[in-house]
Amino acid sequence: MSVRIDIAGLRPERVVVVPSPLAELGMALHALSEPGHHPGLRGWATGVTARLDSHLADRMCEADFLWRTTFSDLFMPFAGVPGRSTLPGATLAEDLDLLDKLSDEQFVDAALEFTCALPYSTGGASALADTEVRRRALDLAAARGPQQLRFSERLLADPPRIRGWLRQFARDCDEAFFAEAWSRLRHQLAADARHKTDLLHRKGLAEALAAVSPAVSLDESAARITVDKLGDGRSATADGGLLLVPTSLGWPHLMVLHRHGWQPVLHYPVASPELVSPPSVEQLTLRMTALSHPVRMRICRHLARSAYTTSELAQAHGMTAPEISRHLGVLKKAGLITTRRRGRYVLHQLDVTVVARLGSDFLEGILR
């Protein structure tokens, strides 16, 4: 499985390496909501969380599915601006201004990505325009919980209001913690962007992509970039460009924005914190045996990002609930997942801290 980007006709000058303050804020929010994904940032996350204003902390929980379960494309609005050639802003304020250049349909569809109700790599009807798509999006939001449902209802009823909410929330986060972090991180990101740009000019796209990640490869004869991920997707630069956006807070996530009609973006980490050693040999053997099945690896990819019910996993994987239950039983016996009840739903989630102790290669693979 992989994400493929068709770059036929892409001119060298249309490949740009550039940091994005808003994209880095999105990764900061993700690290704060899922510290288990980022062992090297636990100290920073603990410090930020401890001094957060309670009102801002509540708002951070209000829409955390935009950066916890998925990394919403709303944090890279430059990719959706018509013309497919817009670059990120130099400041957070400039990046936020680009949100206003997205249509209401683009904004709503990107915000509703967490419901998986809308096609991503291919075109389709918008939830604003199609009653059936809207109903399905709300049904799936309801399955994720009342908070997601309330947010989705407000989003569909009044997109400009939610757009304003997001802008103000980003400004408040900037004042509370992000401006300080960005003042440190932007120099590292700028240096990495200069290094990758130099590789592009001196050695070409293949060398630059290899420096981005070993998981990214270029087939020059087919004019195609392939990103090795536990997921399928397609995109094309077409008449636009290709953006490489570095992140200091994002390891181990290597993400590809391949939304239909948007400019493709590779969002890649520039540093890899060390992980702790594996547990006992007996535990390691049990856990690696449990993870040896490809279906269970794909299930782990889902459960690493959010808690899911058995029925949701069955639908996502095209399997029956009993089949999924058997795989979940193996993972639970190995101590790799946790289970909790919410009303009449039983939710399963990957214990990322346990998986991290298995080694960075596997963790990078399922979170890539």
Side-chain angles (χ1 to χ4, degrees):
M1 293 186 290
S2 60
V3 177
R4 295 167 292 283
I5 303 173
D6 182 353
I7 60 169
L10 177 65
R11 302 194 304 273
E13 66 271 17
R14 300 299 297 275
V15 183
V16 182
V17 191
V18 57
S20 163
L22 183 56
E24 196 69 356
L25 172 58
M27 290 312 313
L29 290 167
H30 175 72
L32 290 172
S33 62
E34 285 287 4
H37 288 193
H38 306 271
L41 297 176
R42 283 178 184 159
W44 173 81
T46 300
V48 170
T49 302
R51 64 177 185 268
L52 271 184
D53 172 81
S54 59
H55 180 56
L56 181 57
D58 289 342
R59 289 157 63 209
M60 194 175 290
C61 294
E62 187 176 347
D64 67 349
F65 42 86
L66 294 178
W67 51 82
R68 180 197 290 268
T69 307
T70 59
F71 184 81
S72 174
D73 292 340
L74 292 178
F75 289 100
M76 293 190 275
F78 44 85
V81 175
R84 296 158 61 92
S85 60
T86 301
L87 300 182
T91 65
L92 182 62
E94 291 177 9
D95 258 356
L96 289 171
D97 286 343
L98 295 176
L99 275 174
D100 293 335
K101 296 183 180 295
L102 300 180
S103 68
D104 281 348
E105 288 77 11
Q106 286 179 302
F107 183 85
V108 168
D109 291 353
L112 286 175
E113 181 186 340
F114 78 95
T115 68
C116 302
L118 304 164
Y120 188 85
S121 294
T122 58
S126 169
L128 281 181
D130 188 288
T131 303
E132 178 57 27
V133 173
R134 180 190 186 98
R135 182 199 62 77
R136 175 167 169 75
L138 289 174
D139 283 348
L140 291 170
R144 310 305 303 145
Q147 189 163 272
Q148 287 92 326
L149 176 60
R150 287 193 297 270
F151 186 90
S152 300
E153 289 173 335
R154 295 201 308 273
L155 172 70
L156 289 165
D158 192 353
R161 179 185 175 191
I162 298 300
R163 200 188 295 248
W165 181 94
L166 183 60
R167 286 180 63 106
Q168 187 58 54
F169 173 73
R171 292 192 195 102
D172 292 344
C173 287
D174 189 48
E175 182 178 347
F177 64 87
F178 184 68
E180 178 185 355
W182 181 249
S183 69
R184 294 182 291 101
L185 300 175
R186 62 188 178 90
H187 302 293
Q188 180 193 23
L189 297 177
D192 185 81
R194 288 193 297 271
H195 172 62
K196 299 295 192 301
T197 300
D198 184 57
L199 282 176
L200 274 171
H201 292 162
R202 290 190 301 106
K203 298 188 176 182
L205 181 58
E207 289 286 338
L209 292 176
V212 163
S213 170
V216 183
S217 61
L218 171 65
D219 184 336
E220 297 191 54
S221 62
R224 183 174 61 238
I225 295 170
T226 301
V227 185
D228 182 29
K229 291 175 67 71
L230 281 172
D232 288 308
R234 291 181 177 276
S235 184
T237 53
D239 59 345
L242 172 68
L243 294 181
L244 309 181
V245 177
T247 169
S248 287
L249 300 176
W251 184 90
H253 305 295
L254 170 62
M255 290 178 288
V256 188
L257 191 161
H258 55 284
R259 180 177 294 277
H260 179 74
W262 290 40
Q263 185 176 192
V265 180
L266 284 176
H267 193 200
Y268 66 93
V270 299
S272 300
E274 292 185 1
L275 294 172
V276 297
S277 301
S280 69
V281 174
E282 292 80 9
Q283 289 175 314
L284 181 62
T285 301
L286 182 63
R287 289 168 182 173
M288 294 305 292
T289 300
L291 294 169
S292 64
H293 197 289
V295 170
R296 290 197 283 273
M297 285 186 66
R298 291 196 293 271
I299 289 174
C300 284
R301 176 176 172 79
H302 272 85
L303 299 183
R305 285 162 168 76
S306 183
Y308 286 88
T309 67
T310 301
S311 297
E312 287 176 319
L313 291 170
Q315 180 179 0
H317 293 275
M319 301 172 67
T320 66
E323 288 174 321
I324 291 293
S325 292
R326 285 193 290 273
H327 286 299
L328 290 174
V330 174
L331 293 170
K332 187 172 183 179
K333 184 177 180 181
L336 294 169
I337 64 173
T338 60
T339 300
R340 72 178 189 272
R341 181 173 292 277
R342 189 187 66 212
R344 62 189 181 90
Y345 297 103
V346 176
L347 299 174
H348 312 282
Q349 189 163 22
L350 191 72
D351 190 333
V352 178
T353 57
V354 171
V355 174
R357 293 197 294 271
L358 294 176
S360 60
D361 287 347
F362 182 77
L363 184 63
E364 282 191 72
I366 63 169
L367 292 176
R368 185 180 299 145

